[in-house]
Amino acid sequence: MSGAAPIPKESLHAAGDLLRALAAPVRIEIVLQLLQSSRCVHELVGSLGVSQPLISQHLRVLKSAGVVRGERTGREVLYELVDDHLARIVLDALEHAQEGIADGTAQH
């Protein structure tokens, strides 16, 4: 980015908010599940083995960060990724972490 115009502070803050929203392991798992297909809360509870209140809390964080959206269908809300390029951030981070584990340079 050398020689490029300075990035506006509001863009930097928005990027930081997005990365914080993706920082929890359970939220990463939720993004990976939603990358495969839209899911309702009980499906996420079943596949991730986490309590319903905790899944709902993490979905609220992801929703407020603009990562996921929910659409009510009857009594349930079906959650999906806003767009797949956000999942690319998660996939790239996982790939990087796995490379670090494989070569012994991973940090915890």
Side-chain angles (χ1 to χ4, degrees):
M1 291 186 122
S2 67
I7 297 171
K9 294 284 186 204
E10 55 271 7
S11 295
L12 295 172
H13 288 289
D17 290 344
L18 175 61
L19 291 173
R20 274 189 292 284
L22 294 172
V26 172
R27 292 196 286 268
I28 291 171
E29 288 183 299
I30 290 170
V31 169
L32 293 173
Q33 290 286 315
L34 296 180
L35 183 59
Q36 296 172 15
S37 67
S38 299
R39 309 278 167 104
C40 58
V41 172
H42 78 268
E43 290 172 316
L44 292 168
V45 167
S47 63
L48 300 179
V50 179
S51 72
Q52 183 274 323
L54 192 55
I55 290 289
S56 294
Q57 177 184 355
H58 285 297
L59 284 168
R60 275 192 299 278
V61 171
L62 291 170
K63 190 174 180 182
S64 70
V67 176
V68 303
R69 65 176 158 242
E71 184 176 319
R72 184 164 294 282
T73 56
R75 294 173 41 114
E76 295 183 333
V77 176
L78 196 62
Y79 288 92
E80 63 183 4
L81 294 176
V82 169
D83 58 45
D84 288 350
H85 85 265
L86 293 171
R88 188 74 235 164
I89 295 168
V90 171
L91 292 171
D92 285 347
L94 284 170
E95 183 179 334
H96 181 75
Q98 289 172 334
E99 289 169 358
I101 291 168
D103 68 15
T105 61
Q107 297 180 1
H108 300 282

